[in-house]
Amino acid sequence: MADVFRALDDETRRLLLDELVARDGQTLFELCTVLVTRHGLSSTRQAISQHLGVLEEAGLVVTERRGRTKIHHFRGEPLAAITRRWPTSEEDTP
């Protein structure tokens, strides 16, 4: 679970997850493009690839190969595990 918190601790990684939730199954090129156009974030492809690696290690992103291309997919199960560990209810709110 520590990997999930570490992965979420970076704004760029959170933006990558946001973009994968909005449109799942994107390539590195597509993700780099959307980060520049929507968020004004101009990181190198290598830097974005490293961020995706951290997200993959945390289990938040899975990849599939199509020829020489890697397709990235959002995986929400690690986030669901966090909410199961610390459930909230209406009674808990003041």
Side-chain angles (χ1 to χ4, degrees):
M1 195 172 291
D3 287 347
V4 174
F5 287 110
R6 179 177 165 259
L8 294 173
D9 189 38
D10 183 88
E11 177 67 18
T12 301
R13 290 192 285 269
R14 290 191 302 270
L15 289 173
L16 286 166
L17 290 177
D18 288 343
E19 293 305 329
L20 287 172
V21 167
R23 189 172 73 81
D24 202 27
Q26 296 189 61
T27 65
L28 175 61
F29 177 78
E30 291 169 320
L31 289 165
C32 288
T33 301
V34 78
L35 288 177
V36 169
T37 58
R38 284 195 191 145
H39 305 285
L41 183 68
S42 58
S43 294
T44 64
R45 286 177 48 157
Q46 182 179 358
I48 299 303
S49 181
Q50 289 172 347
H51 283 300
L52 288 166
V54 171
L55 292 168
E56 194 169 1
E57 287 175 17
L60 293 164
V61 168
V62 294
T63 60
E64 67 173 292
R65 283 226 176 251
R66 290 187 192 158
R68 294 181 1 186
T69 304
K70 277 175 92 173
I71 309 296
H72 301 85
H73 298 278
F74 172 74
R75 188 170 165 269
E77 289 83 2
L79 297 176
I82 291 171
T83 60
R84 283 191 302 271
R85 181 171 177 175
W86 293 294
T88 61
S89 68
E90 296 294 326
E91 297 171 7
D92 293 340
T93 56

